[in-house]
Structures are given as structure tokens and as C-alpha cells.
Amino acid sequence: MGKLMRAEFFRAFHNKIYMASIGVGLLICIWHFWENVYPLKDYVYTAQYPLSSFAKWLGGDNSSLQPVLYYLLVPILCALPYAGSYFSDIKTGYVKQVLIRSKKKDYLRSKYIMTFITGATVSAVPLALDFILTGMVLPAVIPQSGTGIFGGAPKMLMADLFYTHPYCYLFLYLILDAVFFGLLTTIALLAAHLTENRFLVILMPFLCYLFVFSVSQMTGAVQLSPFGFLRPSQPVFSTWHIILGELLLLILGGGIFLYVSTKKEIL
């Protein structure tokens, strides 16, 4: 499986689409920085409470366009580089060459792992770099409730951690985003068995993401929407039960993919 992983790693990360997806995410972050952070460099200490990078970076901003745009597009950006490769392997016959030299289970596992990793990195890397960029202009002032500067509230997830150890909070939220979007991207693998359209395969993670958002808006159960609870500023408050439940559903989707693909003739 080691050779397969190296080969799939090269296919996943040494391609222009991967770099372009990261680049689009970074452009959104730079746009946000230039429009909403950099102009504040001369006004950090003019407010009653100093401005903080924890409140003004893209993940902490609830009042700008760019965070909405980023968290809307990120499922597509995560899927573009590699999520359609399994579908393409089958249609082009590439999988035949792989399975002559390797076990089918090893191929499917390596495909699942690399799809997850590409989705996770595409989603998290621009966010991490955005915070670093923001930190170069604004100080990392410890958040305080009641100041009206920070998006969080006492009832949000990990509120105590946010107000006492914000770096830990930020790190854990980046991990949560990476894991969620990585698992969401793997839905495209299962979609390869459900449609003959490659573009629909790539868009399937986004369509599932959009479907949950639409249902949550129509029913008023906004706490179900990843579009809200995956943002570190938490414009929508959710619970660990909901988040873990949705993560388990995504993991189940991966399990179904591995089971169906193992049983099904893909040559």
C-alpha cells in the first residue's frame, strides 16, 4: 500500500488544480485582509477595547462578505483537485493498470485517504495563513465577552476555551474544519457509483452541503447547517451532538463507498 499512497500523493498534490484551489482560497483571504483588516492598522487602540486578530481574521468575522463566500465555495474548492480521480480512473481504464500490480482494497483505501487529505488541506491552509496575515497587523488581544468586538457568545461551543486560551480554540476549530471538509469531500467517491457525469461527481459534496443548508433554513433548524457551525465565529450556535452526528454520517458514507467498491466490479 505504501507505493500506492506515494503514487496517489503525487497525483493529488502535484497538479495545477490543487494549487489553483489553494490559490482561490488564499485570494479570498487576501481580499478580506486588504478590505477589512489592513485599514484598521492605525485604529487598533482607539476603541474602548483594543481590536484583536481573534475578532478580525476571516474565521472570526461575522460582518463581511468574504467569510460567507469562503465557507460557501470551500466544498467545491476541496473537491476540484482530486475528488473526481476515482471516477476518471474507472472511465479511462487507469484502474486496470493499478489493480494488476496492487490489491483492490489497498487501492480503494489509498484513494479514500488521499481524497480526505486533499479536502482537509484545501479548507484549512488558507484559514491558517489568513490568521497569520491578520496577526501581522493586529495584536492577539485575549477575547473578552461583552465588548461587542468578538463574534462569540458564552453559549457557543468551547466558549470557555475561546475566552481563556484562544489559540487552542483556533487550533481545534481548524482541525474540526479540516476533518469535516475532508470527510465531506469523500462523498464524491461514493457519487462515482451513482452517476455517469464527472462534474456531478465533483459537485456532489457541495450539493449535499447546500441541501443541508437549505433544509435548515426552511425548517428553522439552523443549528444543523455546517455553513454556520463550521465558522469559528459561530454565527449559528450548534451542539456537539449535532456535529458529531453529521461527522458519523460522513464516515458512514465512506464506509459504504469502501464496501460497495470492494464488492462491485470496477474494471
Side-chain angles (χ1 to χ4, degrees):
M1 187 172 173
K3 291 183 178 179
L4 270 176
M5 287 294 294
R6 286 192 292 272
E8 295 300 323
F9 181 90
F10 184 86
R11 292 180 67 194
F13 292 99
H14 290 77
N15 71 75
K16 294 179 180 179
I17 299 179
Y18 178 80
M19 298 307 298
S21 296
I22 291 282
V24 171
L26 288 175
L27 283 175
I28 296 174
C29 293
I30 292 171
W31 176 25
H32 175 265
F33 170 81
W34 187 255
E35 187 173 275
N36 300 285
V37 177
Y38 187 75
L40 299 175
K41 67 183 187 304
D42 297 325
Y43 304 96
V44 175
Y45 299 105
T46 59
Q48 184 177 2
Y49 193 81
L51 299 178
S52 171
S53 55
F54 291 110
K56 295 302 180 180
W57 75 294
L58 186 137
D61 188 354
N62 277 340
S63 59
S64 302
L65 168 64
Q66 294 85 358
V68 175
L69 184 63
Y70 184 85
Y71 277 91
L72 178 65
L73 296 180
V74 70
I76 299 177
L77 299 178
C78 290
L80 280 174
Y82 188 76
S85 64
Y86 176 64
F87 179 87
S88 297
D89 288 356
I90 297 173
K91 296 304 177 184
T92 61
Y94 175 80
V95 67
K96 298 179 182 179
Q97 304 301 319
V98 175
L99 296 186
I100 289 174
R101 303 176 179 84
S102 308
K103 295 180 181 179
K104 187 177 184 180
K105 288 184 178 180
D106 290 343
Y107 166 74
L108 294 173
R109 289 169 182 168
S110 63
K111 185 65 67 175
Y112 181 84
I113 291 171
M114 292 312 304
T115 302
F116 170 83
I117 292 176
T118 52
T121 53
V122 169
S123 63
V125 168
L127 289 174
L129 293 179
D130 178 87
F131 183 80
I132 294 173
L133 193 62
T134 303
M136 295 172 65
V137 174
L138 299 179
V141 177
I142 299 298
Q144 295 289 331
S145 61
T147 59
I149 297 175
F150 302 93
K155 61 180 180 179
M156 72 180 189
L157 290 174
M158 300 186 290
D160 291 340
L161 191 63
F162 177 70
Y163 290 116
T164 55
H165 299 89
Y167 280 111
C168 292
Y169 173 88
L170 184 147
F171 176 76
L172 290 177
Y173 234 99
L174 288 181
I175 295 296
L176 173 62
D177 281 9
V179 170
F180 195 99
F181 285 118
L183 291 174
L184 181 65
T185 305
T186 63
I187 294 297
L189 299 175
L190 182 58
H193 292 301
L194 304 176
T195 178
E196 294 296 317
N197 189 311
R198 184 176 185 273
F199 293 103
L200 187 57
V201 169
I202 294 174
L203 285 175
M204 190 59 68
F206 171 73
L207 294 176
C208 293
Y209 185 77
L210 189 61
F211 173 77
V212 175
F213 172 76
S214 300
V215 171
S216 70
Q217 293 297 310
M218 289 187 295
T219 61
V222 293
Q223 69 275 12
L224 298 175
S225 175
F227 179 75
F229 66 66
L230 287 178
R231 292 170 61 179
S233 57
Q234 297 189 47
V236 172
F237 299 131
S238 190
T239 66
W240 281 118
H241 297 88
I242 292 174
I243 295 175
L244 293 177
E246 294 191 16
L247 287 172
L248 288 175
L249 285 176
L250 293 174
I251 293 172
L252 178 62
I256 294 173
F257 158 73
L258 293 173
Y259 177 80
V260 170
S261 300
T262 301
K263 298 297 182 182
K264 185 176 180 179
E265 181 62 52
I266 61 174
L267 294 176

